[in-house]
Amino acid sequence: MAETTECVFIFANSPLSTVQRDELLAIGGARIEIIQSRDNVGLGSAYNEILRRAGRYGGDAVLLVDQDSTLRPQVVRLLADLMVELAAAGQRVAAVGVQPIGARHTKPAFKDVRIFPRPGREGTTRFRAADFVISSGSLVSIAAYHVVGPFRDDFFIDAADIEWCFRAWHRGFSCWVARDARMEHRLGRGSISLPLLGLKLSVQPPNRLYTYVRNQFRMLAMRHVPLRWKAKMVPYIGFQAIVYALTGRRRCYALTAIGRGAWDGLRTMSASAQPPGLPQFGDQAAPEPPGNTAEP
């Protein structure tokens, strides 16, 4: 990817060894700058720091990529070309994102990330307007970022991209998905299949369930988030809780995380942004890579 960009920022939310730093800096093809954080500050803070630095360097757009995604170099050019094309057609583009698909040829199997088309906006076979794009694999306009504002660092991880894109639409910008720009994205730790309903839910650890539910409930008080989205997510979270209760592993931890997330979201939905302190749950054996998506 370094060969298709002018500058690469690597935000390390965990310590890098000297060997890892040397390997990253030796990639070549572009100027590489490593931003080392002493603590895990979450994706919102990481994205904001990267976008601020890119703006100071005179960049026009930033491609955000998380470590749980596999992005081909040609996809970068597809996104950049589409952003230029849409702007030339008179669109105020905030972000252009990939068409995410579940990781192939892996075990366990991963579900595809769902895209929600923007009502009332027509697309083509190559692109379509979307309520939001997932942050990983998205090309974000720096000019739009200055108007829309920063990603919410108090969200820490889940739904930061959803809230930001809804805010962008509210302020007159638009978000688009490039249908030909496919990117493998590993959502959670696998998936739960529900053949009778024709559905798949991703398997998420308790800390991710907590932030996902908490942030969705916090968005209930946000006027820029459409009512149709709020009406959809509340029963959907209830449905997920039932599925985890009946089929999930270590269901006690999952249900505790969902309930705690709903309560914390409701009691803080009118509060100003706060530091992203997260509760600890019992089932935290394996660390979770920092991904950000629409739904578990």
Side-chain angles (χ1 to χ4, degrees):
M1 192 186 310
E3 296 178 355
T4 60
T5 57
E6 296 180 9
C7 182
V8 175
F9 296 99
I10 300 173
F11 193 100
N13 248 331
S14 58
L16 292 176
S17 67
T18 302
V19 173
Q20 290 173 320
R21 292 179 64 90
D22 291 343
E23 288 177 349
L24 291 170
L25 293 173
I27 292 174
R31 181 173 61 188
I32 296 176
E33 184 173 326
I34 297 175
I35 308 167
Q36 178 65 69
S37 176
R38 290 185 299 178
D39 302 304
N40 184 357
V41 295
L43 287 184
S45 294
Y47 293 158
N48 291 333
E49 181 61 26
I50 289 171
L51 283 154
R52 282 193 291 264
R53 293 197 184 203
R56 289 200 299 266
Y57 288 169
D60 297 318
V62 169
L63 178 69
L64 301 174
V65 184
D66 301 333
Q67 67 187 42
D68 53 359
S69 301
T70 303
L71 191 65
R72 295 175 291 115
Q74 54 267 41
V75 169
V76 181
R77 177 51 55 191
L78 279 172
L79 297 176
D81 289 346
L82 180 56
M83 179 172 279
V84 171
E85 179 182 342
L86 290 168
Q91 295 291 337
R92 299 180 69 203
V93 181
V96 175
V98 296
Q99 177 71 51
I101 58 175
R104 303 309 196 238
H105 313 298
T106 61
K107 291 184 179 180
F110 292 86
K111 64 167 289 187
D112 290 344
V113 179
R114 185 178 175 187
I115 297 297
F116 293 84
R118 185 72 176 177
R121 289 285 189 126
E122 294 184 2
T124 71
T125 56
R126 295 188 302 110
F127 58 84
R128 59 179 168 178
D131 272 339
F132 55 86
V133 297
I134 69 167
S135 54
S136 186
S138 65
L139 187 65
V140 178
S141 163
I142 293 178
Y145 174 79
H146 289 318
V147 177
V148 176
F151 288 86
R152 290 186 67 109
D153 54 9
D154 59 324
F155 272 30
F156 194 76
I157 182 167
D158 290 283
D161 45 7
I162 299 175
E163 186 278 330
W164 190 87
C165 288
F166 278 139
R167 193 168 4 121
W169 279 107
H170 184 71
R171 297 186 179 177
F173 291 88
S174 56
C175 302
W176 302 80
V177 169
R179 290 181 164 181
D180 295 332
R182 294 182 172 269
M183 180 190 77
E184 288 195 0
H185 183 75
R186 295 174 293 281
L187 180 55
R189 295 176 175 174
S191 60
I192 300 172
S193 295
L194 305 172
L196 294 179
L197 298 177
L199 296 174
K200 270 188 178 182
L201 299 180
S202 70
V203 177
Q204 295 282 12
N207 60 331
R208 291 297 301 274
L209 285 173
Y210 169 80
T211 54
Y212 161 75
V213 173
R214 183 196 64 182
N215 295 343
Q216 292 292 348
F217 271 83
R218 290 201 74 181
M219 287 196 291
L220 294 177
M222 298 178 185
R223 287 189 291 179
H224 60 273
V225 177
L227 180 60
R228 56 184 169 78
W229 179 259
K230 299 171 184 177
K232 179 187 302 181
M233 291 310 299
V234 172
Y236 182 68
I237 290 171
F239 170 72
Q240 288 175 305
I242 294 172
V243 172
Y244 270 95
L246 296 176
T247 64
R249 292 178 62 246
R250 308 201 179 196
R251 60 197 68 183
C252 178
Y253 294 122
L255 292 176
T256 299
I258 292 172
R260 177 74 179 275
W263 170 247
D264 286 352
L266 287 171
R267 71 181 180 83
T268 62
M269 63 167 52
S270 299
S272 58
Q274 300 174 4
L278 301 179
Q280 295 297 314
F281 298 95
D283 183 19
Q284 304 293 346
E288 185 70 11
N292 202 3
T293 58
E295 50 185 337

